[in-house]
Amino acid sequence: MDGLEELKATVENRLSSIKTMEDLNNVRAYLLGRKGLFSEFIERIRLLGKEEKRVYGQQINTLKEATENRLKEIKAGLEEKRRQEEEKASRIDITLPGKIPIIGKKHPITKIFSEIIDIFASLGFSVAEGPDIELDYYNFEALNIPPHHPARDMQDTFYIKDGVVLRTHTSPVQVRVMESQLPPVRIISPGAVYRCDNDISHTPMFHQVEGLMVDRHIRFSDLKGILTIFIHEMFGDETSLRFRPSYFPFTEPSAEVDIRCVICRGEGCRVCKDTGWLEILGSGMVNPQVFRNVGYDPEEITGFAFGMGVERIAMLKYGIDDIRQFYYNDLRFLSQF
Ligand code: PHE
């Protein structure tokens, strides 16, 4: 049985070559399997004499047991190694920087709306709203705009059907509010308006804020006072303004309000067309005919109204020269506000 030393060496050699579970199973089969090396040796022992059988049998059994134990150890070692690798692979690396989500912001028009509303809220005005799809009566007739008035031209007004239009201004809300309540009235009305126009300074949909203050003894000086406070809050105390005579069918007298050009400070530039002034709103004392249309007595009641374009104010405040920028939804533009 000189083969015993050889067997020992082979066992040692095979065991130390094990790197994976697959190796382990192969080696086990090769050594301990039914047709493995040990079986072969045990087979040979049968042919020996009684005494030799006992001695070699014992030695082979000892070696076989030792081999089984070593295989168990190696298996445990491989399993532990695999467990550690799995753990390492699934571990969350909290030192990696996180993904920063893009946070939405208010649209510049929405921001200007809020600013305007806040300023007038602090002066005691509350918010009223009216429909975008409006009756011809409220958009024109009740506001003293007769059927032949040029503002009704098909070029300006989107007609839905006979007698129904997309409102061309927020002034119809004045009429709706006064129809539904008695004086005193102190409201502003923010909202979308529509005109068939599309170029660098016009979009078919834009926004206005309407204002209306009605009571006994409301005077033109109240209009001037309120609008002066508004413009100083909106554009800064140092901003000068002027009231320029104008005409609207639903106010008498009427005035447009200009502010000193915020771009050139009055020097004259492209934005103010070298006048040094920028028109920012229309206003006036409510025309007695409008009061009669809503059932108020113009002998008792007076008031003023004004209307301003929100995009125009945003453009002047932020120095934007193309009104269409507000509606391209380009995040590079929008994220600046
Ligand atoms: N509705 C007018 C416009 O759209 C603005 C305005 C409102 C003028 C109220 C006077 C009074 O141009």
Side-chain angles (χ1 to χ4, degrees):
M1 289 257 73
D2 343 319
L4 198 60
E5 281 311 308
E6 217 178 288
L7 176 62
K8 257 192 196 162
T10 309
V11 167
E12 203 45 54
N13 193 327
R14 292 291 162 135
L15 289 178
S16 60
S17 76
I18 296 174
K19 298 259 173 336
T20 65
M21 279 291 174
E22 202 186 346
D23 296 346
L24 182 101
N25 290 331
N26 291 339
V27 170
R28 186 202 307 266
Y30 179 75
L31 297 176
L32 301 171
R34 247 187 333 119
K35 289 181 180 154
L37 269 192
F38 277 97
S39 302
E40 206 179 292
F41 262 79
I42 290 162
E43 207 56 34
R44 274 199 251 162
I45 287 170
R46 293 224 184 115
L47 309 169
L48 300 173
K50 202 179 170 198
E51 187 54 18
E52 273 180 322
K53 220 190 240 179
R54 197 180 61 78
V55 175
Y56 283 116
Q58 226 167 38
Q59 287 188 21
I60 287 200
N61 274 339
T62 311
L63 181 58
K64 195 178 163 193
E65 251 171 59
T67 305
E68 278 165 353
N69 287 337
R70 284 283 302 285
L71 281 169
K72 267 188 210 151
E73 276 170 35
I74 294 170
K75 186 174 179 198
L78 286 173
E79 278 170 354
E80 174 62 15
K81 200 172 127 200
R82 185 191 326 185
R83 202 188 56 74
Q84 281 178 7
E85 273 167 8
E86 276 174 7
E87 193 193 272
K88 207 169 147 194
S90 68
R91 195 179 299 154
I92 295 167
D93 181 355
I94 57 167
T95 66
L96 274 177
K99 284 186 192 150
I100 298 168
I102 300 171
I103 297 173
K105 289 187 185 169
K106 281 189 179 158
H107 192 278
I109 297 300
T110 309
K111 285 187 67 174
I112 296 286
F113 259 142
S114 317
E115 277 183 52
I116 297 172
I117 290 170
D118 286 351
I119 294 168
F120 283 104
S122 76
L123 295 169
F125 287 72
S126 51
V127 172
E129 282 179 312
D132 289 18
I133 299 174
E134 186 55 284
L135 294 176
D136 182 290
Y137 174 76
Y138 288 109
N139 196 77
F140 296 124
E141 199 83 29
L143 287 166
N144 201 30
I145 304 175
H148 59 264
H149 194 280
R152 287 178 165 231
D153 197 303
M154 285 295 282
Q155 281 177 4
D156 289 325
T157 309
F158 288 112
Y159 282 84
I160 301 283
K161 59 178 189 191
D162 219 23
V164 182
V165 301
L166 288 181
R167 65 178 178 188
T168 58
H169 53 178
T170 42
S171 300
V173 184
Q174 290 183 35
V175 181
R176 287 181 172 275
V177 168
M178 287 191 284
E179 268 188 353
S180 68
Q181 72 176 80
L182 292 172
V185 174
R186 211 183 321 182
I187 57 108
I188 55 166
S189 185
V193 301
Y194 306 84
R195 287 181 201 178
C196 192
D197 216 345
N198 201 9
D199 60 39
I200 192 165
S201 50
H202 298 88
T203 46
M205 186 275 315
F206 60 105
H207 298 86
Q208 287 188 334
V209 173
E210 191 78 10
L212 177 68
M213 183 162 177
V214 175
D215 203 346
R216 289 171 201 277
H217 314 304
I218 300 285
R219 298 163 302 177
F220 196 85
S221 55
D222 295 311
L223 179 160
K224 289 181 79 175
I226 293 277
L227 291 179
T228 302
I229 291 171
F230 165 71
I231 283 163
H232 284 165
E233 291 281 321
M234 198 69 195
F235 293 100
D237 281 342
E238 69 289 351
T239 310
S240 19
L241 62 153
R242 68 178 186 187
F243 291 78
R244 183 167 38 75
S246 185
Y247 173 78
F248 298 102
F250 36 94
T251 48
E252 183 60 35
S254 303
E256 280 174 299
V257 178
D258 301 337
I259 58 172
R260 262 275 175 235
C261 180
V262 289
I263 312 292
C264 65
R265 303 254 152 233
E267 298 281 310
C269 70
R270 199 170 58 89
V271 176
C272 61
K273 300 196 181 85
D274 284 324
T275 62
W277 294 97
L278 298 163
E279 177 203 322
I280 68 152
L281 58 82
S283 66
M285 300 307 289
V286 178
N287 190 308
Q289 188 53 47
V290 177
F291 282 145
R292 274 182 224 110
N293 292 342
V294 298
Y296 286 6
D297 179 357
E299 299 300 323
E300 295 270 319
I301 295 298
T302 55
F304 66 80
F306 57 87
M308 64 187 91
V310 179
E311 280 79 356
R312 178 144 175 94
I313 289 177
M315 287 167 82
L316 296 177
K317 220 176 141 130
Y318 295 129
I320 297 162
D321 59 8
D322 182 349
I323 190 174
R324 294 169 296 194
Q325 286 287 0
F326 292 119
Y327 302 108
Y328 289 139
N329 283 338
D330 184 336
L331 284 180
R332 291 169 304 178
F333 171 77
L334 293 176
S335 62
Q336 298 175 77
F337 303 96

